[in-house]
Amino acid sequence: MAVTQKPLHTHMQNQAQSTQAIGIFDSGVGGLSIFNCIKEQLPEETLIYVADSLYAPYGDKSDEEIIARVNIIADQLISQNCKALVIACNTATVIAIDQLRKRLSIPIIGVEPAIKPAVIKSKNKRIGILTTQATAKNQRFLALVDKYKGNSEVYIQPCPGLVELIESNQLHSTTFDNLLNSYLELITDKQIDTLVLGCTHYPFFSDKLKDFLSSDIAIMETALPVTEQLKRQLIQHELINQTVELVKSF
């Protein structure tokens, strides 16, 4: 039986590319929750993180503005020879990832609210999603909700102002607590038993959620699923870093 082997130059090319960095970006510090998960799960990879804080939040920007920023940042990361990109932002993912995938040939992983696992998790089939304003009205996001909700009731709660306060280091302020609590009151009035964090900034206030919400309400975020999808894509495209450093003992 004939055995088909990959050309040597292709193997060497893939091996060289596998040591290149993974680019990760968000409209600020929110994507660090995903960055930290990737760093923990894929410690052998080199990561470059871009926090676009100057243009944060994306949630109150137009689609055209968000697409323009995403393309500028992606091109900068590509210029640094990144082998894959992670859009660590829910708003940027739902608005800009499709056009970005058409522009670039490398793996591009986005962040989408954990609607499907939330539907599986929920017992009473009443699910809340905290999002930015831009995500809440985005048709791609709404189509995703409609696709996976099945017979569940899904309540979308836009949370304008939260990202701005996190970015300005006011996470532990009374202003932040009052604003967050006003949104949580609206969503918990729906008798939800599962809450999806639809923005990568939102895991930063997970402790506050646990203080406010009943222990019966499950909280769903996306850092681990995104990391697992990134790993699958790297393996599929033979881009995962398998470089082994040899340590000599004397």
Side-chain angles (χ1 to χ4, degrees), residues 27 52 55-71 89-97 99 132-135 137-139 164:
S27 60
D52 192 22
Y55 283 81
Y58 284 175
D60 62 3
K61 303 291 190 297
S62 69
D63 288 6
E64 292 74 20
E65 288 176 291
I66 294 168
I67 288 170
R69 289 305 301 171
V70 165
N71 287 343
C89 172
N90 295 80
T91 300
T93 295
V94 298
I95 291 172
I97 196 170
Q99 63 84 36
T132 65
Q133 282 183 304
T135 297
K137 63 184 180 182
N138 179 265
Q139 290 304 311
E164 293 93 322

Side-chain angles (χ1 to χ4, degrees), residues 22-25 31 33-39 41-42 84-90 93 97 101 108-114 117 197 200 221-234:
I22 296 165
I24 306 167
F25 65 94
S33 58
I34 290 175
F35 173 92
N36 290 333
C37 188
I38 294 172
K39 186 177 180 181
Q41 298 293 320
L42 298 171
L85 298 181
V86 177
I87 306 180
C89 172
N90 295 80
T93 295
I97 196 170
R101 283 173 171 161
I108 300 171
I109 291 80
V111 181
E112 293 176 334
L197 306 186
T200 53
E221 54 178 290
T222 56
L224 187 57
V226 169
T227 301
E228 290 172 344
Q229 174 64 5
L230 170 63
K231 186 175 182 179
R232 283 193 292 270
Q233 288 291 314
L234 293 177

